[in-house]
Amino acid sequence: MNMQLRDDPARLTASEARRRIDGGALTATRLVAACLERIERREPDVLAWEHVDAKGALETAARLDAGPTTGLLHGIPFGVKDILDTFDQPSTYGSPIYRGHRPPWDAATVALARAQGGIALGKTVTTEFANRHAGKTRNPLDPAHTPGGSSSGSAAAVADFHVPLAIGTQTGGSVVRPAAYCGVYGYKPSFRLLSNTGVRTNTEQFDTVGLMARSVEDVALFKAAVGELPFVPVAPDEVSAPRIGICCTPHWDQTEPATRDALDAAVRALEAAGARVVNVSLPAFFDALDRAHKLICGFESLRNYADELTRWPDQVSEDFKRERVEVGTAASLAEFRDALRLGERARRWMDAMIAEQALDALLTPSAAGEAPEGLASTGQATFNYLWTHLHMPAVTLPHFTGPRGLPVGIQLVGPRYADDRHLSLVAWADRVLAAS
């Protein structure tokens, strides 16, 4: 590796940067400056940012360098998806309606990250209201391809070494899919593990704050900081002979050959390392969850965006109207409640199946394949919505590539509310796949 690239602080993981800052080999000011230099060079091509607060970030870094260690993220810059509020930076939610909008508060996860010494470098691009209408961001690995959505800017910024960490959100597949497309680690935690306070709401049933990082170790660190949770380091050495279920989901026919190849290779490597991999079939009633998910999202989004739709209908995209408003308008209250009941039934079944089969995780696609060509669409949440609907923690790992040389992610999904244990298993699998 080029020595200059290896020694570039912007390319460090958050955990390694944290260790260097603790050891005196790196300062927060130097790290932030390196990230800003990278953004200056690359942002015209990647377009990951809605706003960069260079002055504020450098001032915060200097203050942290002058004082005692403040917490888990001391001196570490991070990006904030522009669907989350920030008191000192614009929060536009990907919509022209909110151009220049400045709320007087931070979202809970942003406030907690700052309290742990993290530096909010800026606001990363979101699709409109974190839905399907694409933003300006391009895939940093090939600008002719989508970076995914809706956390497009967060995934691209981490992948292109603008920041080591970024906050995203997922209602369908908005963390895992862009992370898979851009080749980073994307973590969607168990539902409501991280606070939604200060996040512009889509649906109360599914909105989940998630994280982008460049290692599983970083995910665990960031999770503890933004959730005000005890820091539980990943412990891959404590994982022994895990039992993993491979789940093709009802949409297996939509996978591309590269995804099938990646899953086959992952199974071989994990089995060789001692895992027992078994097939998991979902009952027929799971087929209806796709429609139920869309119906719930439409029903709640229509109401959560009633003000914008009433006062600024001409500034709301046709994509949002088609995929959310039209669906929500057509849905009855009885259908909405039936969809909620179906989700409750599916969660009970999944919890029982995992317990009965003593499964430690499920292995499944992160997306159909590589990032699709073109920027008008952010890809489909086909292989993500299910785990969001079931409220289960999911992490995509970036160890495979497709025929165009773009990343192909695989996803490990854990039991509900077992996030710490799941991250250790993911760290074990990550190490196995990196060595294979």
Side-chain angles (χ1 to χ4, degrees), residues 296-308:
I296 292 169
C297 289
F299 190 92
E300 294 195 332
S301 293
L302 170 65
R303 289 152 177 82
N304 289 329
Y305 287 94
D307 184 49
E308 291 86 349

Side-chain angles (χ1 to χ4, degrees), residues 106-132:
D106 272 342
T109 48
V110 177
L112 290 169
R114 295 202 219 229
Q116 290 287 338
I119 301 171
L121 194 64
K123 305 300 288 290
T124 55
V125 172
T126 178
T127 61
E128 178 197 37
F129 302 136
N131 277 276
R132 309 287 289 176

Side-chain angles (χ1 to χ4, degrees), residues 178-415:
Y181 284 171
C182 293
V184 297
Y185 296 78
Y187 165 57
K188 183 206 76 68
S190 293
F191 185 56
R192 291 183 177 165
L193 177 68
L194 305 179
S195 173
N196 281 339
T197 299
V199 180
R200 187 65 180 87
T201 303
N202 272 303
T203 166
E204 290 85 351
Q205 303 300 321
F206 305 127
D207 286 0
T208 304
V209 173
L211 309 175
M212 307 284 189
R214 292 200 289 266
S215 72
V216 185
E217 181 184 27
D218 283 5
V219 167
L221 181 75
F222 205 19
K223 172 180 72 71
V226 301
E228 198 169 11
L229 300 165
F231 174 45
V232 180
V234 292
D237 290 337
E238 296 179 9
V239 176
S240 176
R243 186 174 171 89
I244 297 172
I246 185 164
C247 183
C248 296
T249 83
H251 311 290
W252 182 248
D253 61 335
Q254 298 181 40
T255 56
E256 298 173 10
T259 290
R260 297 179 209 133
D261 292 345
L263 285 170
D264 287 344
V267 168
R268 290 194 298 272
L270 296 174
E271 286 183 327
R276 182 178 178 189
V277 180
V278 299
N279 289 319
V280 170
S281 298
L282 301 178
F285 77 86
F286 270 63
D287 294 357
L289 284 175
D290 187 4
R291 180 179 180 276
H293 195 90
K294 292 173 182 174
L295 189 150
I296 292 169
C297 289
F299 190 92
E300 294 195 332
S301 293
L302 170 65
R303 289 152 177 82
N304 289 329
Y305 287 94
D307 184 49
E308 291 86 349
L309 292 165
T310 300
R311 292 202 287 154
W312 298 285
D314 293 341
Q315 296 189 61
V316 176
S317 74
E318 293 303 315
D319 290 334
F320 185 82
K321 292 174 183 176
R322 182 182 61 256
E323 299 206 6
R324 290 293 186 252
V325 178
E326 292 178 8
V327 173
T329 301
S332 68
L333 179 60
E335 289 175 318
F336 174 69
R337 288 173 171 167
D338 284 343
L340 294 179
R341 293 187 187 100
L342 181 66
E344 292 168 355
R345 179 186 176 194
R347 289 178 208 114
R348 289 194 299 270
W349 183 91
M350 182 62 70
D351 290 347
M353 185 277 295
I354 286 176
E356 289 168 5
Q357 297 200 27
L359 294 178
D360 295 293
L362 299 175
L363 175 63
T364 189
S366 299
E370 295 172 291
E373 189 170 5
L375 302 175
S377 169
T378 62
Q380 296 298 318
T382 308
F383 293 96
N384 314 125
Y385 81 86
L386 180 61
W387 316 114
T388 308
H389 203 109
L390 296 176
H391 298 170
M392 301 167 74
V395 182
T396 182
L397 297 179
H399 290 292
F400 301 95
T401 56
R404 292 189 176 103
L406 294 173
V408 173
I410 62 162
Q411 184 176 190
L412 283 162
V413 181

